[in-house]
Amino acid sequence: MLFPLVRDIRSLSPKNQDVTVRGWVRTRREMKNLVFIEVNDGSSLTGIQCVFDRGGGGNAGAGAGAKEGNTAGTLAALGTGASVEIRGRLVPSPAAGQDVEVAVSEIAVLGPAPAESYPLQKKHHSLEFLREIAHLRARTTTFGAVARVRSNLAFAVHRFFRERGFLYLHTPVITSNDAEGAGAMFRVTTLDPSVKPESGYGGDFFGRAAYLTVSGQLEAETYACALSRVYTFGPAFRAENSNTVRHLAEFWMIEPEMAFASLEDDMDLAEDFLKSLFTAALEDCARDIAFFDKHFSGEHAGKGIAGTLEEAAASRFVRMTYTEAVRELEKAADSFEYRPRWGCDLQSEHEKFLTEKVAGGPVIVTSYPKEIKAFYMKMNDDEKTVRAMDVLVPRLGEIIGGSQREDDPLKLSRRMEELGMKTDNYFWYLDLRRYGSVPHSGFGLGFERLIQYVTGMINIRDVIPYPRAAGQAEF
Ligand code: ATP
Ligand code: MN
């Protein structure tokens, strides 16, 4: 049987029942004969206060972890970070901010955490320092909250698609598509690194060059063109050498793909999806979001994190074409490091300007020049722009990138040839257009960018347990 978590114990009613609290000591203070021990097991933003009365009948040390009743020894080992099993009665708490506390009858220290070496002694550590002890940072309030929001929103992603008839699809992590253009790839090989392959990669494990996937989209398209609505939710890998606060080398991406769907359908889906995730964060993670709102609202001018999410969830996202966006940017050309120019990709400073200054909230930009977008996007009638859409949000810039896919086999193969791609390798992708082709659309949401947005964490390395980036693969 699973034992009750701190989260469950905190909400127990009626009070005055016997409980056992298992967790790690967050803080311990003493006042006269009373020892106040805050214990958390990570199931709740705040732990539960356990009060041991040295003068009372409590028996520190007699629990499961200790052979002999040794009150002094147990109390000495009861420092921050120690794991404990505490028995007692749940009683109404006189302290502010909590309904209940535990009047302790028995304490057992399962694993002490010596104060001289345990790195999480102080109440506040910098995020930079905590990144160096990523194996312990989940024990802090902030990283516990990030982990709970991540888990709840992952669940909300599945719920959203399931309710709308999308099938959850597992696309391969190892792939031989090398020209998607989404980002630099990591090669997967079993060849001896000291021997240069004489004749390509024929002798390699897969008999050809193989890579870690940058996106499951192309494979997802094949299933959308059979099962109508699918989505992937898996890791993507990009050998990004840019050291930014919004890029990782390994991140999680959600990629819905719909058949019989236009770019407008795609934008509607993206907007509904984000709003439902913002609402899920507010409803399913209310206490954690309130914590981020209080401590990480810095960059959310005025409204705070919760206010920003509420407003975005209730708003209608502004939609504009790339051409309109560039015109807006040109009006403020002097305020940018990079001059906005039609034909150039939007820089992150431009994306932020459009959301923060022009729209005051999320923006969907459509119809980008074909040169700055991927080969598979459907060409507009002007033959210059493609049916692409990016969803931009304040603070972060791009959070979603999507498009209607080219469904005309001739136009698609012509575009691939223009770009010097080997169409032979993509026979299967072209087959979708040769046999029963349908208009279809989809997008990719970076899960970590979503978590950054809803928590207010500035650095993407702080919203994934073990970030992988250039020069960083520890743990
Ligand atoms: P950016 O311009 O921000 O580098 P992109 O246009 O290269 O992103 P897409 O190929 O459109 O990205 O990928 C879809 C989504 O995946 C992006 O909108 C973003 O949310 C996320 N994403 C892309 N690259 C990364 C990365 N290196 N780390 C984390 N998330 C990423
Ligand atoms: Mn993009």
Side-chain angles (χ1 to χ4, degrees):
M1 249 276 279
L2 293 176
F3 62 85
L5 296 167
V6 165
R7 178 191 69 176
D8 309 321
I9 295 172
R10 282 176 59 103
S11 60
L12 274 183
S13 163
K15 318 210 182 334
N16 295 317
Q17 50 182 301
D18 290 330
V19 292
T20 304
V21 175
R22 296 153 173 101
W24 293 268
V25 175
R26 286 297 177 85
T27 57
R28 170 240 174 108
R29 350 175 242 115
E30 302 201 15
M31 230 172 67
K32 302 202 182 111
N33 257 341
L34 299 180
V35 186
F36 296 92
I37 313 141
E38 198 203 321
V39 177
N40 202 338
D41 61 2
S43 63
S44 162
L45 182 71
T46 41
I48 191 158
Q49 175 161 281
C50 302
V51 187
F52 178 69
D53 186 348
R54 289 171 189 269
N59 186 8
K67 289 265 171 337
E68 291 163 60
N70 177 353
T71 308
T74 301
L75 287 178
L78 201 64
T80 298
S83 54
V84 291
E85 197 170 291
I86 295 182
R87 292 178 209 284
R89 273 187 103 64
L90 192 68
V91 297
S93 174
Q98 57 192 19
D99 295 339
V100 288
E101 61 183 33
V102 176
V104 176
S105 55
E106 261 177 53
I107 302 176
V109 173
L110 305 183
E116 319 82 74
S117 53
Y118 186 59
L120 290 173
Q121 290 296 334
K122 276 195 301 160
K123 252 206 135 157
H124 294 286
H125 292 286
S126 71
L127 296 172
E128 289 75 16
F129 170 73
L130 292 173
R131 245 168 257 151
E132 287 167 21
I133 51 162
H135 61 304
L136 293 172
R137 68 179 178 170
R139 295 187 184 186
T140 65
T141 306
T142 301
F143 286 91
V146 168
R148 285 186 300 274
V149 169
R150 240 188 112 95
S151 171
N152 277 303
L153 288 189
F155 193 80
V157 164
H158 290 299
R159 191 173 55 207
F160 177 89
F161 288 119
R162 198 183 149 95
E163 281 169 0
R164 288 162 180 78
F166 285 76
L167 300 187
Y168 178 26
L169 178 70
H170 301 101
T171 49
V173 168
I174 298 174
T175 170
S176 58
N177 309 331
D178 61 351
E180 215 226 296
M185 303 183 88
F186 292 101
R187 171 159 278 159
V188 178
T189 178
T190 51
L191 293 177
D192 180 345
S194 64
V195 182
K196 207 167 171 258
E198 287 296 310
S199 50
Y201 288 82
D204 203 350
F205 188 88
F206 297 105
R208 62 202 300 176
Y211 308 86
L212 293 178
T213 184
V214 292
S215 156
Q217 180 200 315
L218 304 193
E219 290 91 349
E221 281 185 52
T222 66
Y223 268 66
C225 291
L227 299 164
S228 298
R229 289 181 200 155
V230 299
Y231 71 102
T232 69
F233 187 171
F237 307 87
R238 298 186 185 180
E240 313 255 8
N241 222 338
S242 53
N243 198 16
T244 79
V245 295
R246 357 175 267 144
H247 290 94
L248 290 168
E250 175 180 296
F251 63 101
W252 288 70
M253 187 147 57
I254 298 139
E255 296 181 280
E257 191 70 36
M258 302 181 276
F260 310 101
S262 66
L263 185 70
E264 285 66 34
D265 299 324
D266 204 34
M267 288 192 275
D268 291 345
L269 182 75
E271 183 169 340
D272 283 352
F273 182 44
L274 283 178
K275 288 176 178 175
S276 97
L277 293 172
F278 296 164
T279 305
L282 289 164
E283 287 175 359
D284 304 348
C285 317
R287 297 192 66 217
D288 292 321
I289 296 298
F291 167 80
F292 289 116
D293 188 62
K294 187 160 168 217
H295 298 284
F296 293 91
S297 274
E299 290 199 8
H300 289 253
K303 289 171 240 155
I305 286 165
T308 306
L309 293 176
E310 272 159 26
E311 201 176 286
S315 73
R316 171 131 178 82
F317 292 4
V318 170
R319 297 180 184 191
M320 62 173 82
T321 63
Y322 168 87
T323 305
E324 286 162 352
V326 170
R327 213 171 289 143
E328 287 293 338
L329 295 169
E330 279 169 342
K331 288 187 208 157
D334 294 342
S335 48
F336 302 118
E337 189 183 331
Y338 294 92
R339 233 190 109 79
R341 267 215 347 261
W342 202 98
C344 296
D345 211 351
L346 299 179
Q347 299 293 320
S348 121
E349 57 173 346
H350 302 146
E351 295 176 342
K352 285 187 195 164
F353 182 87
L354 291 171
T355 56
E356 290 164 16
K357 300 287 185 321
V358 179
V363 183
I364 310 184
V365 179
T366 57
S367 292
Y368 283 77
K370 65 175 188 226
E371 288 79 12
I372 58 174
K373 288 292 180 189
F375 72 93
Y376 49 71
M377 297 191 183
K378 188 168 178 62
M379 196 71 75
N380 277 319
D381 293 340
D382 63 10
E383 303 265 321
K384 289 198 191 83
T385 59
V386 288
R387 294 179 67 75
M389 64 104 183
D390 279 7
V391 184
L392 316 177
V393 292
R395 283 194 309 117
L396 284 179
E398 179 179 337
I399 192 165
I400 281 180
S403 68
Q404 182 170 342
R405 322 305 189 187
E406 184 57 78
D407 50 22
D408 180 316
L410 287 176
K411 285 187 187 164
L412 182 60
S413 51
R414 206 188 313 134
R415 183 74 185 134
M416 291 172 80
E417 276 154 17
E418 264 170 36
L419 293 170
M421 294 171 63
K422 290 200 199 96
T423 46
D424 286 357
N425 292 349
Y426 291 88
F427 75 92
W428 52 278
Y429 192 66
L430 287 161
D431 271 359
L432 297 179
R433 282 76 181 166
R434 290 194 191 104
Y435 311 120
S437 187
V438 286
H440 63 285
S441 302
F443 62 78
L445 165 70
F447 190 54
E448 285 73 23
R449 297 229 180 135
L450 171 76
I451 305 299
Q452 278 185 283
Y453 192 66
V454 304
T455 60
M457 299 299 279
I458 289 170
N459 196 321
I460 197 165
R461 292 170 173 77
D462 294 332
V463 296
I464 188 165
Y466 295 103
R468 269 76 180 97
Q472 188 180 13
E474 210 189 348
F475 305 104

